[in-house]
Amino acid sequence: MTLLHSGESVRPNSDVSDQVTESPVDGKHTFEEMDFFSVEVSRTNSTDESKEQEMKDGSTRIESGVNTGLHLLTLNSGSDRLIIEQKPPNTQLTALQDDLERLNDENQKLRSMLEQITKNYSALQTQLLLAMQQQEFENRREQDERNGKSSPTLCAQQFMDPGPFSALDINEPSHSDDETRELPTSPTNNIEVMSKDGDHDMVQIGRKRPSVEDGRDQTSQSWGAQKSPKFEQEKSEEQLPGFPGRKARVSIRARSDAPMISDGCQWRKYGQKIAKGNPCPRAYYRCTMALGCPVRKQVQRCSQDKSILITTYEGNHSHPLPPAATAMANTTSVAATMLLSGSTTSKDSLMNSGFFPPFSYTSTMATLSASAPFPTITLDLTQTPNPMQFQRAPPPMMPFPVPLHGCPQLIGQPMFSTPKLPLMPAVQLGQRHPSMVETVTAALATDPNITAAIAAAISSIIGAPRSNDGSNNNNGGGNHSSSGSPQLPQSCTTFSTK
DNA sequence: CGTGTTTGACCTGCGC
DNA sequence: GCGCAGGTCAAACACG
């Protein structure tokens, strides 16, 4: 906060100003730093009441409107200054002290106002986020009903649901990224393709059946939409404004000795690959909770720390989810939403600027990778964030909290606080109030159970998964599950691949 | 026998 | 155009 600098011009000497910078935030007016003028202070105290009355009047004016700072100049310049100059030295000192006191008071008021505005802004942003998700869910339901499709196959709690942001375009990157310029298919084209397919439901691409031009055998209809990456990219609703033909991904890093984290879903392994730069094989899984569910995930151990399991989710579930999976879905959905709501340019620029160091699980809890083939948000649950970490995080480019649109990075922000707790406040407070908020969020983030429970609770509040409880039964038909919750029945287990 | 896993081959996108 | 790397397929295999 540099507001106090506004008062430096009237400070009688720089030594004093240095001490004044630590002005009380709690409203007390302690001026120990003015010992230099102890005599005058004691004398001024006698007139404090009258002065305070003036200040109160001034503060009333301030609170009645936004103090833009010009008011300060008005007060400090002009007639006041002339009066000061005509007074005797002692009186002049007193006047200066009064000015200083008044400025401090104004600074405190400005601070409180700024904090209040920040809080309001953050609350509004969070509400907007939730409202968009809910609206998207409603839209999907309406479209389902219109198309005569069985709505139970949809679930609002889905992984990475960029739909609302793509549709509403609230954050259409204003940049001229290379990726945008190289855009082979415009969003309009995507819509046309999808309309041609006879399925105008843009948000249900994952359930699409392969079209004729796909040229693929439709006996594998369950994965037909994924058989051709190109096909999928052209029609996926998860395409991002700044990432044509690309999906958002949410990558979760967690310490686990298990081969795969239990996220409540059921997965079937369909491939394994040794990725370059990592001796640990990367396993590819598909969701098997519903026929044709397009959700996939990759599981890979960190090359640097084998105990860290990196799970990357991609796609939207096309079926209801059990509560456990819903919690995870909510979490990843909001994380992806945060990712998608940002400008890729800012991401890149910030990354390149060094503001965000190269990916390092020890430095951040949530990082974004916009330069990757897929925009990916990495949520690191492997560390216990140190509150000091937030203080150390230098915000040279952002002296003020930056709106999410402008800087979507969840710096030091545990993912799980995003959908439930006031999101932006957590991010901002992480830099400005590095105490309780970080402590709480850190505690939450380090316990997936707590975060999942919070996610589930919030999801129930925002009213999405109506059919979750029943969905378990609807989807029933349990079988061997590679990772699913044991209590979960499973309905769609037959695959046409054989 | 049904289902899931393994694994080599294949496809696709991207950089040079 | 070529090579590389990521991603996917599908036959072979394992398991209950």
Side-chain angles (χ1 to χ4, degrees):
Chain A
M1 296 292 288
T2 58
L3 289 174
L4 284 173
H5 290 301
S6 59
E8 286 181 354
S9 59
V10 296
R11 284 173 187 151
N13 105 15
S14 61
D15 292 335
V16 173
S17 69
D18 287 342
Q19 296 172 347
V20 171
T21 50
E22 290 298 325
S23 70
V25 188
D26 54 359
K28 298 177 201 166
H29 300 283
T30 55
F31 285 90
E32 303 103 8
E33 70 276 6
M34 299 301 284
D35 285 344
F36 193 79
F37 306 105
S38 57
V39 178
E40 283 74 16
V41 169
S42 62
R43 199 187 321 160
T44 358
N45 286 341
S46 61
T47 59
D48 269 353
E49 291 182 0
S50 59
K51 298 293 181 183
E52 281 181 3
Q53 185 59 39
E54 293 177 10
M55 288 166 53
K56 283 179 183 176
D57 295 339
S59 66
T60 304
R61 286 194 307 269
I62 292 172
E63 288 178 355
S64 63
V66 175
N67 187 354
T68 62
L70 297 175
H71 183 57
L72 296 176
L73 294 176
T74 305
L75 286 176
N76 297 333
S77 60
S79 58
D80 280 358
R81 192 160 295 244
L82 287 176
I83 292 172
I84 290 172
E85 289 171 356
Q86 292 168 356
K87 290 178 181 175
N90 286 345
T91 310
Q92 193 171 349
L93 277 177
T94 303
L96 287 173
Q97 289 175 354
D98 290 344
D99 276 348
L100 196 60
E101 199 169 341
R102 189 169 60 242
L103 289 173
N104 273 321
D105 192 49
E106 288 186 5
N107 271 331
Q108 291 169 15
K109 286 180 170 57
L110 285 171
R111 282 188 179 193
S112 61
M113 288 175 63
L114 181 62
E115 289 177 3
Q116 185 61 38
I117 291 172
T118 301
K119 284 180 183 177
N120 293 340
Y121 175 82
S122 305
L124 284 173
Q125 190 140 21
T126 304
Q127 290 177 12
L128 176 66
L129 199 63
L130 296 176
M132 284 179 172
Q133 286 184 322
Q134 193 163 0
Q135 184 182 6
E136 173 63 14
F137 172 67
E138 295 296 335
N139 289 340
R140 293 185 185 195
R141 268 206 318 163
E142 288 180 7
Q143 291 179 349
D144 266 355
E145 292 170 359
R146 230 180 292 137
N147 297 337
K149 295 179 180 178
S150 56
S151 57
T153 59
L154 279 185
C155 179
Q157 309 309 316
Q158 296 179 328
F159 291 113
M160 300 176 299
D161 182 8
F165 293 89
S166 301
L168 294 176
D169 203 18
I170 62 172
N171 254 323
E172 181 71 29
S174 57
H175 56 76
S176 57
D177 271 359
D178 291 343
E179 289 174 339
T180 302
R181 277 185 254 116
E182 293 168 359
L183 174 66
T185 57
S186 67
T188 305
N189 290 339
N190 292 338
I191 294 174
E192 288 173 354
V193 170
M194 286 182 287
S195 300
K196 250 186 282 180
D197 204 32
D199 189 347
H200 9 71
D201 191 353
M202 293 179 56
V203 297
Q204 302 178 37
I205 307 302
R207 295 189 298 155
K208 280 181 174 299
R209 296 292 175 263
S211 58
V212 176
E213 67 256 18
D214 192 21
R216 294 265 185 175
D217 185 359
Q218 301 211 2
T219 55
S220 338
Q221 80 280 4
S222 56
W223 308 120
Q226 287 88 43
K227 277 204 162 187
S228 169
K230 187 178 180 180
F231 178 84
E232 177 187 12
Q233 289 175 0
E234 285 175 351
K235 303 191 176 184
S236 171
E237 86 275 15
E238 294 170 0
Q239 291 177 5
L240 312 180
F243 298 88
R246 295 180 179 182
K247 287 183 175 182
R249 289 180 173 180
V250 175
S251 181
I252 299 174
R253 299 166 58 91
R255 292 191 183 278
S256 173
D257 293 332
M260 194 164 59
I261 63 174
S262 175
D263 49 21
C265 282
Q266 296 162 351
W267 305 92
R268 180 179 185 269
K269 190 175 183 179
Y270 68 90
Q272 182 168 307
K273 193 84 172 183
I274 300 290
K276 187 183 181 183
N278 191 342
C280 301
R282 175 185 300 165
Y284 299 90
Y285 294 88
R286 284 194 180 108
C287 177
T288 60
M289 290 188 69
L291 192 66
C293 179
V295 175
R296 285 173 243 175
K297 79 171 180 181
Q298 302 173 5
V299 179
Q300 186 176 31
R301 295 214 168 267
C302 180
S303 58
Q304 300 171 344
D305 188 347
K306 300 290 194 300
S307 67
I308 295 178
L309 200 62
I310 305 173
T311 306
T312 303
Y313 294 92
E314 173 186 329
N316 290 342
H317 285 287
S318 58
H319 54 85
L321 294 170
T326 301
M328 178 66 81
N330 274 326
T331 302
T332 55
S333 173
V334 175
T337 298
M338 303 305 295
L339 164 63
L340 299 176
S341 64
S343 158
T344 59
T345 297
S346 64
K347 272 177 265 183
D348 285 334
S349 60
L350 290 171
M351 296 280 187
N352 295 335
S353 68
F355 181 74
F356 297 102
F359 177 77
S360 168
Y361 68 91
T362 60
S363 60
T364 59
M365 292 191 64
T367 57
L368 294 175
S369 174
S371 58
F374 293 87
T376 304
I377 180 169
T378 301
L379 307 159
D380 197 339
L381 306 181
T382 62
Q383 58 179 318
T384 302
N386 180 1
M388 295 303 294
Q389 191 177 53
F390 298 99
Q391 293 176 324
R392 276 191 287 108
M397 301 174 65
M398 293 183 295
F400 290 90
V402 176
L404 194 59
H405 320 303
C407 182
Q409 287 77 7
L410 310 177
I411 308 159
Q413 166 63 14
M415 57 176 284
F416 292 103
S417 66
T418 47
K420 334 333 179 194
L421 308 175
L423 170 65
M424 287 304 292
V427 176
Q428 295 158 356
L429 294 175
Q431 296 171 349
R432 299 174 56 215
H433 303 282
S435 55
M436 189 171 66
V437 174
E438 286 75 16
T439 303
V440 173
T441 52
L444 292 177
T446 52
D447 190 339
N449 293 329
I450 293 178
T451 54
I454 294 174
I458 298 297
S459 67
S460 64
I461 292 175
I462 62 179
R466 297 176 181 80
S467 57
N468 269 347
D469 292 338
S471 68
N472 294 342
N473 299 330
N474 294 339
N475 272 339
N479 70 345
H480 317 73
S481 170
S482 57
S483 70
S485 50
Q487 78 284 2
L488 194 76
Q490 181 180 3
S491 62
C492 307
T493 58
T494 53
F495 297 92
S496 57
T497 55
K498 290 195 173 179

